[in-house]
Amino acid sequence: MTKDELIARLRDVEWDDFEVKAAKSDLPKNIWETVSAFSNCSGGWIVLGVKQSGRTFEVPGVDNIEKLEQDFFGTLRSKKFNIPLFAIPHRYEINGKNILAFYIPSSEVKPVYFDALENTFIRMGSGDQRATQQEIMAMVRDQSFGIQSQKSIPDTNIDMLNRDALTDFRGEVRHWGLVPHLDSVSDEEFCKGVGITDHSGQLTYGGLIMLGKNPYTFNFVPTFCADYVEIPGTGLEAMTNNYVYRIPEQQNLWEASRVILRRLRTLVNTPMVGINKRGQSVEDFSEYDILREAMANQMAHADHFSPRRSCIHVFDDRIEFLNPGGMPMPLEVMENSFESQPRNPVIAKLFRLAHISENLGYGLRKLKRWQEVTGRPIHIDTTINSVKVTFDLQTRETNVAKNVAKNVAKNVAKNLTERQQQIIALISENPRTTRAEIAATIGVATKTVERELSAIADLVYYVGSKKGGHWELINNK
């Protein structure tokens, strides 16, 4: 930081990485709180010899710059902190007054505290706040950032995967052709080749979370969840009901992603932009592609071992992607980086192979295209243990997903037989109904129901396992 940059900083009072303290001849007692906070967050500057009074500053300077510097570094290297710390000193002179500044980098080992664990601080806005127990535990889990999902789970094998999900996933990977050498190999060799299992055939945590089946997914990762909720109105305070749709509990991320993407598809515009050589309409999927990237990023960067849940909240005017787990580096650094450091590299890789997420970087540049594509803003809010990405929607009642099932039944009924209409109506009322239940209700054989379902496969499909899955309706207007 140059002298001019320091002076520019002193003209602004909104800092999250800059703290001034009056220190004449001794270090201020609260300086260690700021050292802890900067070490636990993204780093920052501590400037001694400047006094803040409201929105104005005085520069009384420091008297014994060498003593202050020695005392500061002596404490950093002492047993006061739980780990030895490092800082970069800088000296300045403003109007004949000496100023001493230290740059405190973000620590690779967290949490950083002094004297006792309860003295763990984080940076919130322009101030230091004592970390909560939940925030401290999030820092502890972050020590395995980028590692946990790659760890092998002892005494596991691919029999603990959902075979239907694995088959569906392999079909998508084969379609996009990113690993053609694995197209024809056995499931065992495929899983080893993409990181679902290790070289000895044991599941990785990322592979289990992505494609596992009950009860194994929840036995090994009890906090696993991928939640999606559609809420009427524009805020929790305006809710007339708790929600109009909530994704049924899924066995793994792949099944959850398939359901969520179909719901997100109903929320955005896909205008026709032309006709292809076969006379088929060509649609612009730019909005949907951005939301798809947001979902894949959420799942790849979520702290799946946190008791807090990843969740997508859909209101009438916006979509909020809420994630436990903080960013691995400052947002502005991530935006300008082509090197991705996902929390769950196995999950990130599997989504890339299925062509659901970007191949390079964090996808932030793609997410920020939302405003360019739609004319509506995107908001990214981060804390030490959470991230929220919000996409503003155009409020259109016809585009709100809560009306999908009703619109499907109304708009396609005229093209269906009476029996097919009955099946659609039963599925609309109860997405978890079985083929046998449908057959009993309308008085036909189960094989007849299966034949009718095959005839309307472009309108209704089944998601998940035979016992735990459910029906989904497609809005074919």
Side-chain angles (χ1 to χ4, degrees):
M1 182 171 58
T2 67
K3 178 178 176 180
D4 289 342
E5 290 171 336
L6 171 62
I7 293 173
R9 288 275 190 139
L10 295 178
R11 292 171 179 161
D12 189 0
V13 296
E14 298 297 332
W15 311 304
D16 59 2
D17 64 345
F18 191 83
E19 180 77 14
V20 299
K21 297 181 183 293
K24 197 68 175 172
S25 56
D26 294 302
L27 296 173
K29 293 181 178 180
N30 65 355
I31 193 173
W32 311 122
E33 297 177 5
T34 306
V35 170
S36 170
F38 283 153
S39 298
N40 286 322
C41 294
S42 300
W45 290 88
I46 297 175
V47 180
L48 303 180
V50 177
K51 182 179 179 181
Q52 179 180 351
S53 300
R55 299 183 67 88
T56 62
F57 298 89
E58 300 176 18
V59 185
V62 296
D63 285 343
N64 193 333
I65 200 167
E66 285 80 11
K67 176 181 179 299
L68 289 176
E69 190 173 284
Q70 291 174 6
D71 289 348
F72 184 80
F73 280 108
T75 301
L76 291 192
R77 307 301 295 178
S78 71
K79 294 184 178 181
K80 184 176 184 66
F81 281 90
N82 60 312
I83 60 171
L85 297 177
F86 173 74
I88 303 172
H90 287 265
R91 298 183 183 188
Y92 305 93
E93 183 179 317
I94 298 179
N95 298 329
K97 303 290 186 178
N98 290 322
I99 293 175
L100 179 60
F102 299 98
Y103 180 73
I104 312 297
S106 177
S107 175
E108 293 184 0
V109 178
K110 300 172 184 174
V112 174
Y113 56 87
F114 57 93
D115 296 335
L117 182 61
E118 63 187 32
N119 291 324
T120 301
F121 286 79
I122 59 174
R123 195 72 174 171
M124 299 290 286
S126 58
D128 305 322
Q129 299 290 328
R130 194 178 299 273
T132 65
Q133 186 63 33
Q134 186 180 63
E135 290 165 336
I136 292 173
M137 292 307 298
M139 291 185 223
V140 172
R141 290 194 303 274
D142 279 350
Q143 296 312 298
S144 60
F145 195 101
I147 299 173
Q148 185 67 27
S149 73
Q150 294 177 292
K151 289 182 178 178
S152 302
I153 310 174
D155 302 319
T156 59
N157 55 64
I158 67 167
D159 291 336
M160 298 177 180
L161 298 180
N162 183 311
R163 289 292 181 147
D164 290 338
L166 177 59
T167 299
D168 184 38
F169 175 74
R170 288 199 66 176
E172 283 297 305
V173 173
R174 187 180 299 111
H175 172 75
W176 294 105
L178 296 179
V179 282
H181 62 286
L182 297 178
D183 285 351
S184 301
V185 302
S186 66
D187 283 346
E188 289 80 2
E189 291 305 311
F190 175 83
C191 289
K192 290 178 183 179
V194 298
I196 296 170
T197 63
D198 63 16
H199 67 280
S200 65
Q202 294 186 124
L203 294 175
T204 61
Y205 277 101
L208 178 69
I209 292 171
M210 189 71 168
L211 292 164
K213 68 180 177 182
N214 284 335
Y216 306 110
T217 310
F218 294 95
N219 284 348
F220 289 104
V221 190
T223 55
F224 165 75
C225 178
D227 208 359
Y228 172 96
V229 187
E230 292 166 6
I231 304 168
T234 57
L236 295 175
E237 70 285 350
M239 289 171 58
T240 56
N241 302 296
N242 288 336
Y243 53 84
V244 293
Y245 174 83
R246 187 168 200 164
I247 184 175
E249 189 172 86
Q250 304 297 308
Q251 298 188 59
N252 52 62
L253 282 186
W254 180 252
E255 288 186 348
S257 71
R258 301 295 260 177
V259 178
I260 291 170
L261 288 176
R262 290 185 181 107
R263 305 298 296 192
L264 293 176
R265 171 68 179 81
T266 69
L267 302 175
V268 294
N269 286 319
T270 54
M272 188 175 73
V273 293
I275 303 293
N276 63 21
K277 294 180 179 179
R278 291 178 290 180
Q280 299 169 324
S281 62
V282 178
E283 296 177 280
D284 180 359
F285 285 93
S286 297
E287 292 185 29
Y288 170 72
D289 287 345
I290 292 170
L291 295 185
R292 182 182 62 186
E293 180 72 29
M295 183 212 69
N297 265 265
Q298 179 185 49
M299 294 181 175
H301 291 281
D303 181 356
H304 294 291
F305 300 88
S306 168
R308 302 177 67 198
R309 291 185 163 196
S310 291
C311 188
I312 301 173
H313 286 162
V314 179
F315 297 93
D316 287 353
D317 63 343
R318 68 189 185 282
I319 307 173
E320 295 178 348
F321 290 79
L322 309 170
N323 228 16
M327 296 283 196
M329 60 184 71
L331 189 61
E332 61 274 11
V333 176
M334 292 175 61
E335 287 183 277
N336 297 315
S337 174
F338 281 94
E339 295 296 326
S340 181
Q341 186 189 353
R343 185 182 298 272
N344 304 290
V346 170
I347 295 172
K349 177 181 179 179
L350 296 178
F351 275 124
R352 287 197 301 271
L353 293 180
H355 208 259
I356 290 178
S357 64
E358 291 285 354
N359 289 314
L360 290 173
Y362 292 87
L364 282 176
R365 286 175 294 277
K366 187 168 186 175
L367 301 191
K368 289 212 164 184
R369 288 193 64 240
W370 181 259
Q371 185 153 359
E372 173 190 337
V373 169
T374 69
R376 300 185 295 275
I378 172 179
H379 313 275
I380 302 178
D381 302 300
T382 66
T383 68
I384 192 171
N385 66 348
S386 67
V387 178
K388 180 170 75 171
V389 181
T390 304
F391 298 91
D392 282 11
L393 293 173
Q394 179 180 351
T395 304
R396 303 181 302 274
E397 191 65 14
T398 57
N399 236 14
V400 178
K402 64 185 180 181
N403 292 321
V404 170
K406 180 175 66 177
N407 288 340
V408 169
K410 180 178 66 176
N411 292 328
V412 306
K414 60 181 179 293
N415 299 319
L416 304 178
T417 66
E418 181 178 353
R419 183 181 293 159
Q420 291 167 348
Q421 291 183 44
Q422 289 177 311
I423 293 173
I424 288 286
L426 291 171
I427 288 173
S428 297
E429 293 172 3
N430 179 15
R432 288 191 175 276
T433 189
T434 66
R435 293 171 176 84
E437 289 170 343
I438 294 172
T441 301
I442 64 179
V444 298
T446 302
K447 287 186 176 180
T448 302
V449 172
E450 291 176 348
R451 186 170 59 251
E452 296 288 9
L453 286 168
S454 296
I456 56 174
D458 58 333
L459 301 176
V460 62
Y461 55 91
Y462 195 77
V463 177
S465 64
K466 291 181 179 179
K467 291 185 178 180
H470 66 280
W471 298 97
E472 287 277 346
L473 296 171
I474 304 173
N475 189 6
N476 273 348
K477 292 194 284 185

